[in-house]
């Protein structure tokens, strides 16, 4: 394709070629005259004068070996570039953009599943606060609690989170000093006589209290009257009390988490769960009688049926009572900065700050409609099939939907807890056309929320009860993640550039090499 026009003076047949050129010129002029004289010749002549691609007759060109090599090279280069450009056109890339978040929904869904390693479900409270003034205490809607065993597995369903029932307290006309005039029936226990007291009494009922606790103050006269009633009825039960402010180590050894703690002991061992019913003399006496009746039935049955374990009555033994709780559900929170926190709280107790351990594990935490860790029946919904199809195409760096999942936050000391700070970013995933933010009806687009999280340990004063806090802030900007492909006209332009550029570039190289290596004149 790189044929040349040889110079008429370079060859030994120059004169012959001159005559040939003269003949061709005369033939061309004659043809033009015929066109002028012929029908429509004027129009064809005017059209021909606009020809950008005028041709040189083959008789005036010559083929060379160098031109053939350059032609083959040009074809090879064009083929490689054509294939590369076609592959690049067929592929799509992921592009991101930042836009103003146009979501006008006033609230956002917050999903959570958190395990408290050392806090009983009775004391778990979920509270919500935000900058608009929202302050909801012990949220109960859409929240469930499960009591856990020592392995961290669900053991007892504590039901939907509900308002705690306030126990009944008894009012007395006599003061505590008047009740003590004939002696204290509730024995004051210390680290020196605690074990001795348990040794002396096969059954014991002990009140572990703090003098500053309002519920303990209301219980004092009731507990003293209860001791008198036990003494009057000659029940084989020792009634005692422990001041946990004066003897904090004793209460810590007994794992007292709240005041007052009313605990039953049998054969020097604590029987769990602790007493949590009404705090009246009649209720306490009734509880004691039931414990004794159960023990008496067990002894009678054991004496009459020494080897038969069928229909064996309970002896009032302690059942496993590991203080672990799994709390899960979702909250509808305002799209403003705020926090939800899990703390130890009770309407019938004052929590022992020295024994409150907020070590926890985040099983799941996300914003928006849940798209991971769903129940099996929810995995097969049309929406989830759409989500799975779209997420398969999204790079991992754009899947920060739940970065806190399956992480443990352990506090090794009391009076401290983890606080988490979360930045929530609205994210539009558009795996269809690159039109920007998606429409909710688009089968190739969804809206999700990504999170940026940071956690740190916060230290509390000795009198304050720690809390596990999750602070969140909504970003006013949103991220658009979408496929970016090339337009068809961009592809055609590139192909034309490849063909023309390759042909011209190698033509220049061929001309240069020909001038360098052409034969010298004689």
């Amino acid at each position: 394709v790189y044929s040349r026009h040889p110079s008429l003076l370079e060859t030994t047949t120059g004169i012959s070629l001159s005559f040939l050129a003269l003949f061709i010129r005369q033939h061309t002029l004659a043809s033009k005259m015929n066109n002028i004289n012929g029908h429509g010749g004027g129009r064809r002549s005017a059209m021909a004068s606009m020809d950008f691609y005028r041709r040189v007759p083959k008789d005036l060109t010559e083929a060379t070996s160098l031109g053939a090599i350059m032609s083959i090279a040009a074809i090879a280069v064009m083929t490689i570039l054509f294939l590369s450009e076609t592959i690049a056109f067929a592929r799509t890339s992921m592009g991101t953009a930042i836009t103003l978040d146009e979501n006008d929904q006033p609230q956002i869904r917050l999903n959570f599943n958190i395990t408290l390693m050392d806090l009983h479900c009775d004391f778990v409270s979920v509270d919500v606060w935000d900058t608009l003034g929202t302050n909801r205490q012990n949220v109960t809607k859409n929240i469930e609690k499960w009591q856990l065993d020592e392995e961290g597995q669900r053991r007892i369903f504590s039901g939907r989170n509900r308002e705690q029932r306030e126990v009944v307290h008894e009012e007395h006309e006599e003061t505590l000093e008047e009740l003590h005039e004939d002696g204290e029936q509730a024995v004051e226990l210390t680290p020196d006589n605690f074990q001795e007291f348990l040794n002396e009494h096969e059954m014991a009922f002990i009140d572990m209290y703090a003098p500053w606790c309002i519920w303990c103050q209301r219980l004092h006269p009731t507990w003293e009257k209860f001791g008198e009633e036990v003494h009057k009825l000659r029940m084989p039960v020792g009634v005692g009390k422990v001041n946990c402010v004066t003897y904090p180590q004793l209460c810590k050894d007994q794992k007292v988490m709240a005041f007052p703690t009313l605990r039953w002991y049998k054969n020097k061992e604590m029987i769990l769960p602790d007493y949590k019913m009404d705090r009246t003399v009649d209720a306490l006496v009734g509880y004691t009688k039931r414990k004794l009746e159960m023990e008496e039935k067990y002894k009678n049955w054991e004496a009459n049926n020494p080897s038969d374990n069928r229909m064996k009555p309970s002896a009032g033994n302690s059942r496993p009572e590991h203080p672990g709780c799994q709390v899960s559900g979702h909250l509808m929170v305002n799209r403003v900065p705020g926090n939800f926190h899990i703390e130890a709280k009770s309407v019938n107790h004052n929590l022992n700050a020295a024994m409150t351990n907020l070590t926890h594990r985040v099983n799941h935490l996300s914003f928006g409609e849940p798209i991971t860790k769903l129940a099996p029946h929810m995995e097969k919904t049309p929406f989830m099939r759409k989500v799975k199809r779209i997420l398969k195409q999204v790079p991992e760096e754009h899947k920060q939907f739940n970065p806190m999942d399956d992480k443990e936050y352990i506090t090794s000391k009391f009076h401290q807890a983890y606080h988490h700070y979360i930045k929530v970013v609205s994210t539009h995933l558009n795996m269809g056309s690159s039109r920007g933010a998606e429409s909710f009806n688009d089968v190739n687009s969804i809206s999700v929320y990504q999170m940026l999280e940071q956690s740190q340990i916060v230290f509390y004063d000795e009198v304050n009860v720690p809390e596990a806090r999750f602070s969140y802030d909504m970003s006013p900007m949103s991220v658009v993640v979408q496929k970016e492909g090339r337009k068809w006209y961009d592809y055609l332009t590139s192909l034309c550039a490849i063909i023309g550029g390759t042909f011209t570039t190698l033509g220049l190289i061929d001309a240069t090499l020909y001038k360098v290596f052409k034969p010298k004149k004689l």
Side-chain angles (χ1 to χ4, degrees):
V1 294
Y2 295 107
S3 299
R4 292 172 184 79
H5 318 297
S7 174
L8 297 179
L9 299 178
E10 291 179 9
T11 64
T12 57
T13 58
I15 297 175
S16 299
L17 291 175
S18 298
F19 281 110
L20 178 60
L22 180 62
F23 171 77
I24 293 172
R25 183 176 182 184
Q26 289 177 350
H27 177 73
T28 302
L29 291 174
S31 298
K32 288 183 178 181
M33 291 299 294
N34 291 334
N35 289 337
I36 293 173
N37 295 330
H39 179 69
R43 288 195 301 272
R44 286 194 297 270
S45 178
M47 183 70 70
S49 64
M50 297 178 61
D51 186 6
F52 293 159
Y53 303 101
R54 301 186 182 187
R55 294 170 180 78
V56 178
K58 286 187 177 181
D59 295 336
L60 297 182
T61 62
E62 70 173 349
T64 63
S65 298
L66 179 60
I69 294 173
M70 288 299 172
S71 298
I72 295 172
I75 293 173
V77 172
M78 289 181 189
T79 302
I80 294 173
L81 294 179
F82 171 78
L83 293 176
S84 301
E85 190 68 19
T86 302
I87 294 173
F89 174 73
R91 288 179 177 174
T92 57
S93 60
M94 289 294 171
T96 59
I98 298 178
T99 62
L100 188 65
D101 188 7
E102 298 179 354
N103 194 325
D104 58 354
Q105 296 179 355
Q107 290 187 320
I108 183 175
R109 173 169 169 155
L110 191 161
N111 314 289
F112 66 94
N113 185 326
I114 300 172
T115 297
L116 285 305
M117 305 291 192
D118 196 24
L119 187 62
H120 199 282
C121 284
D122 291 345
F123 302 137
V124 172
S125 174
V126 179
D127 304 338
V128 178
W129 176 92
D130 64 36
T131 55
L132 290 181
T134 301
N135 189 5
R136 291 183 286 167
Q137 304 289 324
N138 193 27
V139 179
T140 59
K141 187 177 180 180
N142 301 318
I143 296 178
E144 294 180 352
K145 293 179 181 177
W146 284 84
Q147 196 69 32
L148 305 180
D149 60 16
E150 295 181 356
E151 301 291 331
Q153 302 298 319
R154 293 178 175 181
R155 185 174 66 87
I156 300 176
F157 179 55
S158 296
R160 293 277 183 181
N161 189 31
R162 55 190 180 275
E163 295 291 341
Q164 297 181 7
R165 185 185 73 88
E166 294 188 14
V167 301
V168 177
H169 289 79
E170 191 171 1
E171 300 296 334
H172 302 278
E173 296 181 358
E174 304 93 331
T175 64
L176 188 61
E177 290 76 12
E178 292 175 348
L179 293 173
H180 287 168
E181 288 179 356
D182 57 349
E184 293 187 35
Q185 299 301 325
V187 180
E188 187 74 38
L189 301 178
T190 68
D192 298 330
N193 65 357
F194 185 80
Q195 286 299 327
E196 182 181 349
F197 181 80
L198 295 181
N199 292 335
E200 293 176 355
H201 300 87
E202 181 182 0
M203 304 288 181
F205 203 7
I206 300 176
D207 170 25
M208 301 181 184
Y209 69 94
W212 50 262
C213 167
I214 183 63
W215 309 111
C216 302
Q217 296 171 12
R218 297 181 66 179
L219 178 63
H220 280 333
T222 300
W223 193 252
E224 185 61 30
K225 273 200 169 185
F226 165 67
E228 292 179 357
E229 193 69 20
V230 169
H231 179 72
K232 183 187 301 183
L233 297 175
R234 298 182 180 278
M235 292 182 178
V237 177
V239 180
K241 56 186 178 181
V242 177
N243 187 333
C244 290
V245 174
T246 306
Y247 309 109
Q249 188 59 45
L250 176 58
C251 292
K252 185 176 293 186
D253 294 339
Q254 297 300 314
K255 298 181 180 180
V256 176
M257 299 186 64
F259 305 122
T261 292
L262 305 180
R263 182 167 295 168
W264 187 269
Y265 285 83
K266 173 188 172 184
N267 296 326
K268 300 182 289 186
E269 294 184 359
M270 66 179 70
I271 304 299
L272 300 176
D274 296 326
Y275 178 84
K276 296 175 183 176
M277 294 180 286
D278 291 341
R279 297 168 187 166
T280 63
V281 174
D282 291 340
L284 293 169
V285 171
Y287 176 78
T288 304
K289 287 181 178 180
R290 288 193 298 273
K291 283 287 188 181
L292 294 176
E293 288 173 359
M294 292 171 60
E295 183 66 23
E296 188 65 27
K297 286 182 180 179
Y298 178 80
K299 289 182 178 179
N300 293 336
W301 177 90
E302 193 172 39
N304 298 327
N305 303 277
S307 60
D308 187 5
N309 290 327
R310 293 174 299 174
M311 304 298 293
K312 183 176 181 180
S314 172
N317 294 324
S318 175
R319 70 168 185 255
E321 184 76 4
H322 182 73
C325 182
Q326 183 183 89
V327 55
S328 62
H330 70 270
L331 302 168
M332 298 303 297
V333 298
N334 295 321
R335 297 176 64 90
V336 296
N339 71 72
F340 84 96
H341 48 272
I342 300 175
E343 63 177 328
K345 186 186 298 182
S346 173
V347 298
N348 302 310
H349 300 81
N350 285 108
L351 273 296
N352 184 2
M355 288 295 293
T356 303
N357 182 5
L358 268 297
T359 293
H360 58 277
R361 170 188 172 92
V362 179
N363 303 307
H364 178 72
L365 181 66
S366 65
F367 287 81
E369 291 298 323
I371 58 176
T372 59
K373 296 189 175 182
L374 299 176
H377 69 278
M378 298 182 63
E379 293 280 354
K380 299 179 181 179
T381 61
F383 174 74
M384 283 309 303
R385 287 197 293 267
K386 168 185 172 181
V387 169
K388 289 181 179 180
R389 175 171 50 81
I390 292 176
L391 291 183
K392 286 181 180 179
Q393 308 174 60
V394 179
E396 288 297 326
E397 59 266 23
H398 298 303
K399 294 182 181 179
Q400 302 300 313
F401 312 130
N402 42 9
M404 300 178 67
D405 282 16
D406 301 321
K407 290 185 178 180
E408 295 183 354
Y409 299 90
I410 300 173
T411 53
S412 57
K413 299 179 180 179
F414 294 109
H415 308 298
Q416 59 182 229
Y418 269 95
H419 284 197
H420 310 278
Y421 304 92
I422 304 168
K423 191 73 172 181
V424 183
V425 182
S426 175
T427 305
H428 306 285
L429 304 178
N430 183 10
M431 298 297 107
S433 58
S434 56
R435 294 172 298 176
E438 102 294 338
S439 168
F440 283 99
N441 295 325
D442 193 340
V443 296
N444 294 314
S445 302
I446 58 173
S447 283
V448 293
Y449 292 90
Q450 296 191 86
M451 297 163 48
L452 301 175
E453 177 268 339
Q454 185 177 10
S455 304
Q456 66 178 24
I457 291 181
V458 175
F459 296 89
Y460 286 79
D461 295 332
E462 291 187 1
V463 296
N464 294 330
V465 179
E467 62 183 18
R469 178 175 296 183
F470 298 80
S471 300
Y472 53 84
D473 185 14
M474 308 294 173
S475 172
M477 309 303 291
S478 64
V479 176
V480 178
V481 181
Q482 61 186 3
K483 281 186 177 180
E484 291 185 345
R486 296 176 59 186
K487 303 297 183 182
W488 63 268
Y489 49 81
D490 185 23
Y491 173 64
L492 292 181
T493 302
S494 297
L495 292 183
C496 292
I498 288 172
I499 296 172
T502 303
F503 185 86
T504 302
T505 301
L506 291 181
L508 293 174
I509 295 174
D510 175 68
T512 302
L513 294 177
Y514 180 77
K515 287 186 176 294
V516 172
F517 298 109
K518 71 178 180 179
K520 302 296 183 181
K521 296 181 181 179
L522 295 176

